[in-house]
Amino acid sequence: MSSNNPRLLVSALAVFGLLLASVAGVSAQNEGVVDTKHNFSGTRDVTFTDLALADFGEVCVYCHTPHGGQVTAPLWNRQFTTSTFTMYNDATGGSSSLDMTFSAQPTGVSLACLSCHDGTIGIDVVINEPNNSVATATGRTLADIYTTGADTIKILGTDLRNDHPISMILDPSADVQFNTLASIRGAGLKLFYDDGLSSSDVVQCATCHNPHSKNDMFLRIDNAGSALCLTCHIK
């Protein structure tokens, strides 16, 4: 292909971009935090106003900052929880159903998720507020907002034994009931590198959930017919 034909070059780049999106299992139209419940600003849908959080006038600032953020998650604008968690495979009563290696405590990007979802840190308590904001953080946590009803499932708390395991090295060679790493990634799920476990195949919250997704429950792929579950598990 000759680069002397700009239209051909642009078309080729467009097709290449679509192929990359397809390989990643991500559709651009399903991305966009503005229209999701992870938008805590005044631009959010009116149904979210009962959250009664500080309106910083920006969408991204509740999670990200361009300078001085945490590095475990990209430019993370929140402190990580100091809670001690009971993990899925904990010796005091957790499950031993998986022949995998677990971290003793949550690690990696899961710490970013738990900085809201353990229910102990205010959603609008950020490291760096916008320079032009006059809003004052309320410090309201998920536990303050969702006290009854189905939404309380969003509050994971510190006992994670009744939740899908996180901070776990996914090693299909250790358990024949799992699909290959290549097929899992190819289907659109994401595995992570984690210094605490010295592996590039770690299951974290964001393996199945994309916080920027418009999909139901922020799932990376549709779970109709248990499709997401069966991406990893052979049942």
Side-chain angles (χ1 to χ4, degrees), residues 41-101:
S41 75
T43 66
R44 63 181 174 264
D45 186 278
V46 292
T47 58
F48 299 163
T49 56
D50 62 334
L51 299 181
L53 301 172
D55 183 5
F56 295 129
E58 297 182 12
V59 177
C60 302
V61 70
Y62 296 88
C63 294
H64 301 287
T65 180
H67 303 286
Q70 302 265 23
V71 297
T72 302
L75 297 172
W76 197 245
N77 198 23
R78 301 174 53 76
Q79 299 294 345
F80 294 140
T81 178
T82 58
S83 300
T84 299
F85 293 85
T86 305
M87 301 294 279
Y88 183 87
N89 69 326
D90 189 85
T92 61
S95 172
S96 58
S97 61
L98 296 172
D99 296 323
M100 303 291 176
T101 300

Side-chain angles (χ1 to χ4, degrees), residues 106-189:
T107 59
V109 71
S110 289
L111 286 172
C113 303
L114 290 168
S115 69
C116 273
H117 286 277
D118 80 337
T120 67
I121 301 177
I123 295 173
D124 54 8
V125 176
V126 297
I127 296 172
N128 297 316
E129 296 182 5
N131 291 334
N132 60 351
S133 174
V134 295
T136 301
T138 67
R140 299 191 77 208
T141 69
L142 280 180
D144 295 324
I145 295 168
Y146 299 121
T147 57
T148 60
D151 280 325
T152 57
I153 197 173
K154 300 170 184 176
I155 309 165
L156 299 180
T158 59
D159 188 344
L160 303 181
R161 288 174 298 176
N162 63 344
D163 299 295
H164 191 284
I166 58 170
S167 304
M168 174 193 79
I169 296 176
L170 184 57
D171 181 8
S173 68
D175 192 326
V176 296
Q177 295 301 312
F178 283 83
N179 288 307
T180 67
L181 297 175
S183 67
I184 291 168
R185 290 193 179 95
L189 300 189

Side-chain angles (χ1 to χ4, degrees), residues 32-39 43-45 48 59 212 214:
V33 74
V34 173
D35 298 322
T36 74
K37 290 186 177 181
H38 280 158
N39 175 8
T43 66
R44 63 181 174 264
D45 186 278
F48 299 163
V59 177
H212 299 139
K214 294 180 183 179

